[in-house]
């Protein structure tokens, strides 16, 4: 097949190669990149790890090796090799390009960081250059593959070629339905793989984490473009109960994959963040209420639990048992949700957002002023309530180490399992309420409150229920957070700072993950907690990069990482490239095909 492209506007064109030639080139480049990982990348083990050994790849070399293997496998799958065609039920070209770009990005980052940290490219050994050249060859060859768009949509330049690679995949070819037991195995293996990637990233140092993040992001996009993610979604929808059980088992196995309590503590905080994000998803995702002060309900639950926990600095001086402390925190947040929501939920849009933002700031300032000087001595002011004792339930002290199946589990692991139980409860509440009559009323209010009211729905009552339920779930998570961190201070509950959870990050987690879904906010919250935690060395640049990431996300995937069908239809009605239809004689594209 020969393709001729002419463009009088002067833009640089990408000349598609014969598919077989391009795929062979991508495989060859991936093999060269793989070979480079078997050789040293630098002469010293000081940074970014020990990349000085022949035949033993480590850290960033392993990430590059993985990207190169996936590039080769997906390139070979398009050649019709038996046993590999199942890898690309949707797109055949774009996954190869995305994996190749991910590999190139990881190698480029590794080479750049080594040169910067060690003082120049002279510190790079031949293995790094070989992997870099191989990854570049694979990426260039992948760019030569035919774009997976209609001929009248094709634009022969790099920008539109990359945009075509990130489009939603076309429906894959019909395949033979798998046996039920094999579908369950596929779901289990998928969650096991997800657990491995998460455990690997959470235990990685900053430089390794960035390289793994680059490959993972491009890899996730490639898997989605290949149609594998859509196929997995079909299976998980078909076996919803099995999927939930597999997710719980995978999460419960996380503490057993870690040897350091620091990472288990990060996991416990991620569960707190995801639980609160799922509660906010009821308010924002289902009911469509823009709440910018939601983190205040987390603070209400935390402060209420801290005051009745028996802390030495508590002004109440009582110590409730575990179940009573949990009910106190959740109940206090429920009361505040009703008190704040009753007079304000008659507002809509920006006005409601401003009021909720004001409530969040009022809560933080009030906790600072209740210090005995500017107000009653209740919260100890800006010093907060420290030395909160650990929870104890039926003789089980969450602050002590325990051993399970021969594996010692420290204090963070105990709270991790407690938060996992809380998260499962919140997921069940979200799922049941979303499928109920009140859940359908929330969706109706979100889509068009005027029309819903005209159909007989009591808009104020429905919104107040959503607001109160979301506040209660946040307060429930706050009770555990107070005991996990052993202290609560007003600074923890600001609208925006570099340490989640806060209202800005919570709202971003819901939008990034996918409003109205269960798994979306869980994924979004996990990413928005883990990434800033691993990139603390960037300090002030974190918020800049966070804003840039949101801009890119809204540009390329406004419906979120895990979107429901309604959002996909809303944001991708035609699913076409945003290019002007001005193909006149001065901008002609002639395509001739010869042979098969």
């Amino acid at each position: 097949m020969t393709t001729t492209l002419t463009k009088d506007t002067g833009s640089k064109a990408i000349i598609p190669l014969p598919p077989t030639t391009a795929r062979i080139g991508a495989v060859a480049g991936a093999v060269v990149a793989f070979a480079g990982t078997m050789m040293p990348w630098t002469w010293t083990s000081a940074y970014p790890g020990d990349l000085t050994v022949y035949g033993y790849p480590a850290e960033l070399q392993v990430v590059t090796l993985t990207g190169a293997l996936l590039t080769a496998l997906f390139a070979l799958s398009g050649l019709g090799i038996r046993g590999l065609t199942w890898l690309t039920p949707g797109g055949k070209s774009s996954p190869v390009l995305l994996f190749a770009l991910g590999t190139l990005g990881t190698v480029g980052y590794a080479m750049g960081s080594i040169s910067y940290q060690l003082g120049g490219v002279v510190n790079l050994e031949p293995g790094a250059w070989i992997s870099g050249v191989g990854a570049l060859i694979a990426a260039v060859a992948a760019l030569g593959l035919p774009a997976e768009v209609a001929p009248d949509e094709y634009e022969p330049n790099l920008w539109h070629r990359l945009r075509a690679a990130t489009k939603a995949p076309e429906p894959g070819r019909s395949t033979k339905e798998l046996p039920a037991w094999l579908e369950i195995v596929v779901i289990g293996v998928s969650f096991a793989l997800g657990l491995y990637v998460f455990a690997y990233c959470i235990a990685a140092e900053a430089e390794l984490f960035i390289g793994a993040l680059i490959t993972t992001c491009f890899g996730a996009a490639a898997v989605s473009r290949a149609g594998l993610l859509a196929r997995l979604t079909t299976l998980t929808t078909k076996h919803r109960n099995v999927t939930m059980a597999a997710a719980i088992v995978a999460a419960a196995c996380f503490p057993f994959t870690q040897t350091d309590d620091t990472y288990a503590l990060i996991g416990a905080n991620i569960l707190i963040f995801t639980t609160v994000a799922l509660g906010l998803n009821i308010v924002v995702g289902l009911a469509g209420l823009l709440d910018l002060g939601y983190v205040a309900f987390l603070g209400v639950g935390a402060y209420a639990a801290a005051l009745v926990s028996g802390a030495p600095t508590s002004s109440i001086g009582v110590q409730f048992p575990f179940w009573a402390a949990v009910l106190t925190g959740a109940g206090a947040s429920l009361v505040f949700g009703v008190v704040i929501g009753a007079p304000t939920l008659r507002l809509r849009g920006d006005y409601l957002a401003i009021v909720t933002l004001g409530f969040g700031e009022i809560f933080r300032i009030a906790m600072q002023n209740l210090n005995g000087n500017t107000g009653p001595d209740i919260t100890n002011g800006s010093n907060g309530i420290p030395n909160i004792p650990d929870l104890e339930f039926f003789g089980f002290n969450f602050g002590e180490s325990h051993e399970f199946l021969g594996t010692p589990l420290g204090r963070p692991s105990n709270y991790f399992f407690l938060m996992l139980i809380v998260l499962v409860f919140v997921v069940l509440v979200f799922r049941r309420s979303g499928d109920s009559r009140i859940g359908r009323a929330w969706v109706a209010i979100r889509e068009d409150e005027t029309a819903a009211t005209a159909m007989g729905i009591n808009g104020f009552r429905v919104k107040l229920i959503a607001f109160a339920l979301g506040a209660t779930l946040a307060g429930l998570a706050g009770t555990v957070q107070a005991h996990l961190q052993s202290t609560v201070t007003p600074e923890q509950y600001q609208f925006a700072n570099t340490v989640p959870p806060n209202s800005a990050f919570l709202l971003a987690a819901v939008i990034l993950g996918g409003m109205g879904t269960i798994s979306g906010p869980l994924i979004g919250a996990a990413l928005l907690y883990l990434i800033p935690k691993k990139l603390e060395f960037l300090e002030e640049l974190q918020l800049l990069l966070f804003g840039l990431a949101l801009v890119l996300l809204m540009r390329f995937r406004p419906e979120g990482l895990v979107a429901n069908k309604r959002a996909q239809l809303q944001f991708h009605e035609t699913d076409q490239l945003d290019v002007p239809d001005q193909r006149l004689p001065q901008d002609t594209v002639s395509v001739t095909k010869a042979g098969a």
Side-chain angles (χ1 to χ4, degrees):
M1 180 182 72
T2 61
T3 306
T4 304
L5 300 169
T6 62
K7 192 173 181 67
D8 296 338
T9 57
S11 63
K12 295 183 179 180
I14 295 177
I15 308 300
L17 301 173
T20 302
T21 302
R23 292 183 181 279
I24 292 176
V27 173
V31 170
V32 173
F34 180 93
T37 62
M38 298 296 168
M39 294 181 283
W41 280 15
T42 184
W43 59 274
T44 175
S45 60
Y47 181 89
D50 192 3
L51 307 183
T52 63
V53 182
Y54 279 93
Y56 188 80
E59 299 189 345
L60 285 171
Q61 290 174 320
V62 173
V63 178
T64 302
L65 179 151
T66 303
L69 283 177
L70 292 172
T71 302
L73 286 176
F74 276 80
L76 291 172
S77 69
L79 296 176
I81 296 180
R82 186 178 181 87
L84 294 178
T85 55
W86 62 271
L87 287 173
T88 53
K92 293 181 179 296
S93 302
S94 298
V96 181
L97 174 60
L98 291 169
F99 274 121
L101 290 177
T103 305
L104 180 61
T106 302
V107 176
Y109 161 74
M111 296 175 67
S113 63
I114 290 173
S115 301
Y116 176 78
Q117 292 289 338
L118 300 182
V121 295
V122 69
N123 295 283
L124 295 173
E125 293 291 323
W129 294 106
I130 293 174
S131 291
V133 171
L136 181 61
I137 293 173
V140 172
L143 280 172
L145 289 169
E148 295 170 343
V149 294
D152 59 342
E153 293 180 353
Y154 185 72
E155 283 283 343
N157 59 61
L158 178 60
W159 172 246
H160 289 94
R161 182 68 177 86
L162 293 177
R163 287 189 61 194
T166 57
K167 287 178 59 178
E170 299 294 332
R173 59 181 180 272
S174 59
T175 57
K176 184 179 179 181
E177 186 175 355
L178 298 176
W181 66 269
L182 186 55
E183 293 178 344
I184 295 174
V185 170
V186 170
I187 294 173
V189 170
S190 301
F191 277 100
L193 181 61
L195 172 63
Y196 175 79
V197 172
F198 179 77
Y200 183 83
C201 291
I202 203 172
E205 298 296 331
E207 60 274 2
L208 177 59
F209 176 80
I210 294 176
L213 183 64
I214 294 172
T215 299
T216 301
C217 289
F218 278 96
V223 170
S224 176
R225 191 62 182 88
L228 292 176
L229 189 59
R231 180 170 292 182
L232 179 62
T233 302
T234 302
L235 296 181
T236 56
T237 304
K238 181 179 179 181
H239 304 281
R240 296 180 64 180
N241 293 330
V242 173
T243 301
M244 181 173 291
I248 295 173
V249 171
C253 291
F254 168 75
F256 298 97
T257 66
Q258 304 300 312
T259 57
D260 193 337
D261 281 347
T262 302
Y263 305 133
L265 180 61
I266 294 176
N269 283 311
I270 288 176
L271 288 184
I272 292 175
F273 193 19
T274 54
T275 301
V276 181
L278 199 57
L280 179 61
N281 197 25
I282 294 178
V283 180
V284 177
L286 294 182
L289 305 174
L290 184 55
D291 189 349
L292 298 182
Y294 187 76
V295 74
F297 296 117
L298 176 69
V300 170
Y303 265 99
L307 289 172
V308 299
S309 63
T313 56
S314 173
S315 59
I316 298 180
V318 297
Q319 184 170 3
F320 286 181
F322 168 77
W323 62 270
V326 170
L327 292 179
T328 301
S333 295
L334 171 62
V335 171
F336 270 85
V338 173
V339 170
I340 299 301
T344 61
L345 287 179
R346 299 186 188 277
L347 301 174
R348 298 187 186 182
D350 298 337
Y351 301 101
L352 177 62
I354 293 172
V355 170
T356 55
L357 176 61
F359 165 66
E361 288 302 298
I362 289 172
F363 169 77
R364 181 179 62 84
I365 296 173
M367 295 301 102
Q368 289 179 337
N369 291 335
L370 297 178
N371 55 8
N373 295 323
T374 57
D377 186 10
I378 299 178
T379 64
N380 202 25
S382 59
N383 294 324
I385 304 176
N387 301 322
I388 300 174
D390 288 302
L391 291 170
E392 189 171 347
F393 186 61
F394 286 110
F396 184 90
N397 192 315
F398 287 86
E400 299 176 355
S401 297
H402 299 83
E403 187 171 312
F404 182 76
L405 298 178
T407 303
L409 299 176
R411 178 178 181 274
S413 298
N414 297 331
Y415 280 100
F416 178 91
F417 286 113
L418 176 61
M419 273 310 306
L420 182 60
I421 296 174
V422 174
L423 178 59
V424 171
F425 172 75
V426 173
V427 168
L428 291 176
V429 171
F430 183 92
R431 181 177 172 182
R432 295 297 184 182
S433 59
D435 294 338
S436 66
R437 183 177 179 181
I438 192 68
R440 294 191 294 271
W442 287 336
V443 174
I445 290 292
R446 180 192 67 192
E447 297 300 320
D448 193 329
E449 184 173 350
T450 303
T453 304
M455 295 300 295
I457 296 177
N458 188 332
F460 173 75
R461 174 178 171 271
V462 168
K463 291 191 292 184
L464 185 59
I465 292 175
F467 209 72
L469 179 59
T472 303
L473 297 180
L476 182 63
T479 60
V480 181
Q481 183 201 37
H483 292 85
L484 173 64
Q485 298 181 351
S486 72
T487 183
V488 290
T489 58
E491 288 73 19
Q492 294 175 324
Y493 309 105
Q494 300 182 22
F495 169 74
N497 53 39
T498 57
V499 181
N502 55 64
S503 293
F505 273 65
L506 286 170
L507 185 60
V510 174
I511 297 175
L512 183 149
M515 294 190 297
T517 63
I518 295 178
S519 57
L522 302 183
I523 297 175
L527 291 176
L528 286 183
Y529 188 92
L530 181 60
I531 293 176
K533 193 70 176 178
K534 289 295 183 178
L535 303 183
E536 288 180 341
F537 66 95
L538 294 176
E539 298 179 351
E540 290 83 1
L541 291 177
Q542 284 191 38
L543 291 179
L544 175 63
L545 296 177
F546 173 66
L548 178 61
L550 285 183
V551 170
L552 295 176
L553 179 71
M554 293 298 102
R555 180 63 183 87
F556 293 103
R557 197 170 178 84
E559 70 274 20
L561 298 178
V562 181
N564 55 29
K565 293 182 179 179
R566 185 189 301 272
Q568 288 179 331
L569 292 175
Q570 178 181 357
F571 289 105
H572 302 282
E573 293 182 358
T574 58
D575 200 21
Q576 293 180 353
L577 293 176
D578 250 346
V579 293
D581 192 10
Q582 298 177 351
R583 292 176 175 82
L584 299 175
Q586 71 272 15
D587 181 12
T588 60
V589 179
S590 61
V591 180
T592 60
K593 296 181 179 180

